[in-house]
Structures are given as C-alpha cells and as structure tokens.
Amino acid sequence: GGTPRVETAIRRDTAPAHVAELLGIETSDQTVIRARHMYDGDRLVQLADSYVPVDVAEAASVENPDPGLGGIISRMRDAGFEQTEAIEEVTQYAATSVEAEAFGVEVGSNLLQITHTGYTKTGRAVEVTVHRPGPGWVLRYSTPIS
C-alpha cells in the first residue's frame, strides 16, 4: 500500500573486513558497491549496500543504476554467475549516528542487520548485501520441513 522509491549510488571501493571475508577476497581488493536508500514515499525504510567482486560486476553489468527486470541477481545469472544458495544472517546492532539520523532513532538504539550472501553452485560467493532496515520491521521465514 506504500509508494516505493529507491536511490542508488554505485562506486568501486574496498569492502568492510567481514564482507571481504564472506566474498573470499582480500580487504584491499576493490568491489563494486551498490548503496541503496529505500523509501516508502518520503520515509526511509531501509539502507542496503551490495558488494560484488569486480570480475562478476563487469561480466554482469551491475554498475548500471537500473539493472532491469530481476535486478542484479538476474544479470549475474545471465552472465554465468547464477546464485543457487543464499545464506542470511540476522543480527542486532546499536544504531550509529548515521542510522540514528536516517531513521529518526536515538544513537545506540537496537536495529536489525541482515547480511545476505549469494553463492553459485561451485560455492563462490558473488554478492553480499548488508540490509539495515529501519525500526519496526518484522522478519517472517518459512522453511519446508520435509
């Protein structure tokens, strides 16, 4: 029922140490970073930074601000880097001054962070996205039992 809007800034830079480790690269290696601010109308609801190894990003043309239908995951598939497994880690963290200002909360408020890592069938991590949703999010998961 909202009005979704996304602002995307794309750059090449090093990834934070925990992201570089997940990608299996050195902390000095460049990645393509897609930093997104996601809105419902004028209200910021999520910050999401995606980190992609440069060779994958170049092959899949993910430096394009509008990657088209299916987003960068579809472009990766088209370039031969299909993701066949994703692991998501959900943690709580204390809001920094950046998140506090962005989401209108106090510094140190507990917020969720979802770290999504996408792997190919060979086990290579080709994308890590760090999602930082604003306050009030509810996560609901369904997993087949049998």
Side-chain angles (χ1 to χ4, degrees):
T3 307
R5 171 172 72 86
V6 177
E7 295 176 0
T8 304
I10 302 167
R11 69 184 192 281
R12 289 187 183 204
D13 202 348
T14 57
H18 75 283
V19 171
E21 182 178 346
L22 289 168
L23 288 172
I25 63 174
E26 298 296 323
T27 56
S28 59
D29 290 347
Q30 292 282 296
T31 60
V32 170
I33 303 168
R34 295 177 58 88
R36 291 168 291 152
H37 288 198
M38 300 174 169
Y39 295 87
D40 178 3
D42 291 330
R43 183 174 64 92
L44 179 67
V45 295
Q46 182 175 185
L47 301 170
D49 297 338
S50 296
Y51 300 85
V52 180
V54 171
D55 68 309
V56 176
E58 288 176 345
S61 299
V62 302
E63 290 176 278
N64 181 343
D66 180 7
L69 185 63
I72 67 170
I73 293 174
S74 292
R75 299 300 72 75
M76 287 181 199
R77 181 197 64 227
D78 297 345
F81 297 99
E82 180 178 11
Q83 295 182 29
T84 59
E85 180 182 17
I87 296 176
E88 292 189 341
E89 180 178 283
V90 181
T91 56
Q92 272 191 330
Y93 73 100
T96 66
S97 59
V98 171
E99 288 101 6
E101 182 177 339
F103 294 125
V105 299
E106 296 291 321
V107 171
S109 297
N110 285 331
L111 293 175
L112 293 177
Q113 177 173 292
I114 306 157
T115 303
H116 166 100
T117 307
Y119 296 91
T120 64
K121 66 182 174 185
T122 64
R124 181 179 181 193
V126 293
E127 172 231 354
V128 172
T129 299
V130 179
H131 299 270
R132 293 166 301 174
W137 273 55
V138 174
L139 301 177
R140 180 177 178 211
Y141 293 91
S142 174
T143 305
I145 302 294
S146 58

